[in-house]
Amino acid sequence: MSNVAVFDQNAGAGVLAESPLSHVSGRKGGSSPGVILREKAFMGYLTLRGNAADAAFCEGVEQVLGMPLPTAPMALHQNTQKGSSILWISPDEWLILLPGGTEYETELALRAELSGHFAVVNVSGGLTLLTVTGPDARHLLHKSTGYDVHPRNFPVGKGVTTTFAKATAIIRRPSETTWELVVRRSFADYCYRWLVDASREFGLDAEI
Amino acid sequence: MLHIYCPYCGEHREESEFRPKGQAHILRPKDPDNCSDEVWADYLFFRDNPRGLHHEMWLHATGCRKYFNVTRDTVSYEILETYKMGEQPKITAQSRAAGGEK
């Protein structure tokens, strides 16, 4: 139990929230688009830091999230029931993705469960998530990042922090056909415009 | 483009993900109040600039954001090994001279 002052950063339904891509108009992709781009706006993001060698820390996280803490590099664990996931970012840092609106209660639950040297920070306002699907999704990523996204190097259940179109992004692969990009809010417009340009040859359907 | 092995991520990544951070294994004088100006200045300002084998710190800036150490040949740019913070290099000028690992 920690006595850090925290507050619910989600203002609720009474206040208009705008995604960082609220200003773009999207694109109609025709009958067979090669790339389908969607934004999953207003997700909850928590940065978790702690000692993975501490059994109590690992158990506490698993208790709250209902999925084990990933200790292998770049491992992505998902809880499909809750619609949440946790990704290894560095040996002592993880990114927790939650359905929007549940981040505050999860933060409180983690703070109640964990003790000692750890940190939980709500970073929901700073990030957004783009999903890339379609038959040419991987070809689009080949053009955009230096990281090897071939299935032999990038199986389902992996997520990496790497360079994406001269910006930084987290590339995740939660399922066989879906790629997810977690980008900073301030880079969302740039990344979107890069994706529109890079997917021109494949045909893009972007309903943002 | 260098291909650098990050000991924390356990993978080779492209050079553009990393930042060089200068000489590694610089020890802060244990008792700064009582060390000589020469020792303190050496600690603060003076760095080796060898031709050949060099131990450096690198930062995996757009990856795991951890510092780690690199043994690199400044002539050929060849990276001989990378190792975590707090560890000692396996390849040194002495081990090379002794005809061990190159």
Side-chain angles (χ1 to χ4, degrees), chain B residues 4-72:
Chain B
I4 302 173
Y5 183 86
C6 171
Y8 294 100
C9 292
E11 274 189 352
H12 282 87
R13 297 288 188 91
E14 286 192 14
E15 182 187 351
S16 54
E17 294 194 11
F18 298 89
R19 299 286 178 273
K21 289 288 176 180
Q23 188 183 339
H25 305 297
I26 295 168
L27 292 179
R28 190 173 194 267
K30 282 226 165 59
D31 187 2
D33 291 336
N34 296 311
C35 76
S36 68
D37 287 353
E38 197 185 339
V39 169
W40 188 244
D42 197 46
Y43 161 70
L44 280 185
F45 302 117
F46 289 86
R47 298 292 177 258
D48 296 340
N49 185 20
R51 182 181 159 80
L53 201 79
H54 192 31
H55 301 290
E56 299 171 329
M57 282 194 299
W58 282 67
L59 171 67
H60 194 181
T62 65
C64 62
R65 304 200 296 268
K66 291 281 178 206
Y67 282 83
F68 60 95
N69 298 309
V70 169
T71 305
R72 189 173 66 92

Side-chain angles (χ1 to χ4, degrees), chain A residues 132-145:
Chain A
V132 184
T133 52
D136 291 309
R138 185 151 64 84
H139 298 130
L140 171 65
L141 291 177
H142 277 310
K143 292 172 73 175
S144 309
T145 176

